[in-house]
Amino acid sequence: MKRLTASLALLALSIGSALAAPTLRPAAFDNARLSRIDRIALRSMPAVDVAKLRAEDLKRGRNEAPRFATSLPVDMNTLNSGTWEDLDADHAVWRTRIESKNALTLNFHFDQFKLPAGARMLIYPADQTPGSNASRVRSFTAADNNAFNELWTPVVIGDEAVIEVVVPRAKVGELKLHLAGVQHDYKGLGRLAREAALEQATGVSGSCNIDVVCPEGNAHRDVIRSVAAYSKQGTMWCTGSLVNNTANDKKMYFLTANHCGMTTAAIAASMVVYWNYQNSTCRAPGSSSSGANGDGSLSQSQTGAVVRATNAASDFTLLELNTAANPAHNLFWAGWDRRDQNFSGATAIHHPNVAEKRISHSTTATQISGYNGASGSTHLHVFWQANGGVTEPGSSGSPVYSPEKRVLGQLHGGPSSCSATGADRSDYYGRIFTSWTGGGSAATRLSNWLDPSGTGAQFIDGIDSSGTPTNTPPVANFSSTASGLTVSFTDSSTDSDGSIASRSWN
């Protein structure tokens, strides 16, 4: 709550994963006794018909989660595949190679995954060398074990990868590892993958979109850090956002769209979230560079989530990510506003078409409506500026913010595109207002999770990774006039990111 206290001359203001495992070096880099990589058993996956996949993609609806990979079943474990070797007197190492010809990236689904204490697993490109970028190596420890005893991994660049497990000899019997699926990326998730395929136009967003590092993002530096891209079952892609709750306890609540499909325990467990995936420079909107590959990194990631609430009426899903925030990622939990009203404008932050993070602004008042122009009040209709960004497939689930930088809802869909004009340059967002009560139960509404103690708050501000709520103080502006023994006071105080809750006088 925000309060103003005034004396005649003096005014006073008051404002009402375990962490991701570190990157490690492949064991062979520091142990010459181990076999060379090319002597480790190789499992080759069946050929992928990319032309058929692309033809299927053309038939997918604009508001469906875009697909970037296809899943290939496999049956591999530490007994029927790979090679065991002695690493030292106390540790053993198991390695295997997997190839899916012409894949731009690979990611993996272990339907049995349990690392004993002191063990670690690395997944890295087969061409990794001591001089290669260490961020290409994905690393996991016992801290990544979960209640589902499974693991979905972030992507690894290239069409051949090495899976390596180092385990204390005394605990080899505790290791559980079964690889059930290999996901073959045929579109190019990330710049390195797309450039390797020399497909500059595949997987990148429209040139009218605006990088979040551009000046248009200056007023939103905090909430930009709340938005992330994520994959589902290693093959599809959407956007979502960390959101704060009234306890200000940095629970890993992540809001996205119901239609993205993150609605069951099994699918939520497959979630891989990519933080701070954005271009390092501002590419001029409308330029060829803005429509080409960016230089964003996919190195900051975490896996797994559980479903807390979901409802199709306002197209929302609230997840809780399995692991706490990594301080190195410098995340932000966005505030929200559940009031039943329109707003003078809005801002969207999103990942269009499997590409780096973008920002879009609207200076037109929002309109309460049903989805896609239908009657009702479940959605906000947002109209984008003629010379600004829009949204695209892959932006689904991304947040739209009020002028006070509070989440008003998440993207359901709409006709917008860089070529759209007039009313078609717009989108529909499922409203926090509607989702608050949802379907009337904890599993179908937001209220139980975002206001756990039942404060009844209509809106709250965001909170930084430092734990400090980002509430801009109100500006006190009182004046007085005297006529004899009568004194009249005028209050012209303002609050740039909310409303003044109360005033107290002395």
Side-chain angles (χ1 to χ4, degrees), residues 25-186:
R25 288 162 57 87
F29 289 1
D30 303 305
N31 194 322
R33 293 179 301 173
L34 294 180
S35 301
R36 296 198 322 249
I37 288 297
D38 60 3
R39 295 183 178 178
I40 300 299
L42 174 68
R43 175 69 63 91
S44 293
M45 304 305 296
V48 171
D49 188 343
V50 174
K52 179 181 177 182
L53 293 171
R54 290 189 182 279
E56 292 173 355
D57 289 342
L58 291 174
K59 299 177 182 178
R60 294 171 66 85
R62 180 190 184 279
N63 296 324
E64 292 185 74
R67 181 174 63 177
F68 69 92
T70 188
S71 186
L72 306 171
V74 67
D75 175 17
M76 296 178 66
N77 58 39
T78 56
L79 298 177
N80 67 15
S81 306
T83 304
W84 280 101
E85 295 181 274
D86 294 331
L87 182 61
D88 55 38
D90 300 314
H91 296 84
V93 58
W94 175 82
R95 291 179 293 170
T96 191
R97 288 190 297 153
I98 299 175
E99 176 190 55
S100 188
K101 212 65 169 166
N102 299 319
L104 304 178
T105 69
L106 298 171
N107 69 83
F108 303 92
H109 174 213
F110 296 90
D111 64 352
Q112 293 179 31
F113 175 83
K114 185 177 182 181
L115 296 180
R120 55 91 163 150
M121 180 174 74
L122 302 184
I123 305 178
Y124 49 89
D127 63 357
Q128 188 77 5
T129 67
S132 299
N133 188 336
S135 68
R136 305 200 313 167
V137 180
R138 303 298 189 180
S139 57
F140 308 89
T141 69
D144 294 289
N145 296 338
N146 57 59
F148 294 97
N149 292 316
E150 67 175 323
L151 176 73
W152 292 79
T153 75
V155 296
V156 175
I157 297 296
D159 65 358
E160 184 180 332
V162 178
I163 301 175
E164 171 186 303
V165 180
V166 173
V167 61
R169 286 182 176 279
K171 297 185 177 181
V172 168
E174 299 177 28
L175 174 67
K176 298 188 184 303
L177 202 67
H178 180 261
L179 182 64
V182 176
Q183 281 64 243
H184 173 119
D185 175 3
Y186 61 94

Side-chain angles (χ1 to χ4, degrees), residues 305-452:
V306 293
V307 181
R308 291 305 183 201
T310 187
N311 193 269
S314 56
D315 192 47
F316 90 90
T317 294
L318 183 72
L319 304 157
E320 184 173 356
L321 306 185
N322 285 349
T323 53
N326 186 332
H329 299 167
N330 190 27
L331 304 182
F332 184 83
W333 287 254
W336 41 261
D337 192 326
R338 68 180 183 92
R339 289 178 293 180
D340 185 14
Q341 64 181 54
N342 277 305
F343 295 82
S344 60
T347 295
I349 301 172
H350 55 104
H351 284 276
N353 204 21
V354 198
E356 286 84 353
K357 196 182 301 182
R358 304 287 191 132
I359 189 166
S360 306
H361 291 297
S362 169
T363 55
T364 302
T366 62
Q367 293 181 8
I368 297 172
S369 75
Y371 176 58
N372 210 18
S375 61
S377 59
T378 55
H379 288 67
L380 280 182
H381 195 185
V382 177
F383 300 85
W384 305 118
Q385 297 171 195
N387 59 348
V390 291
T391 69
E392 299 181 37
S395 303
S396 286
S398 60
V400 66
Y401 298 94
S402 69
E404 296 80 26
K405 298 190 297 183
R406 302 183 185 119
V407 177
L408 301 176
Q410 69 291 323
L411 179 63
H412 190 164
S416 76
S417 69
C418 284
S419 60
T421 59
D424 283 344
R425 200 177 178 89
S426 65
D427 285 301
Y428 294 86
Y429 289 80
R431 300 172 68 198
I432 295 285
F433 168 78
T434 306
S435 305
W436 195 255
T437 53
S441 66
T444 61
R445 66 189 177 206
L446 290 177
S447 58
N448 295 69
W449 312 100
L450 300 190
D451 188 17

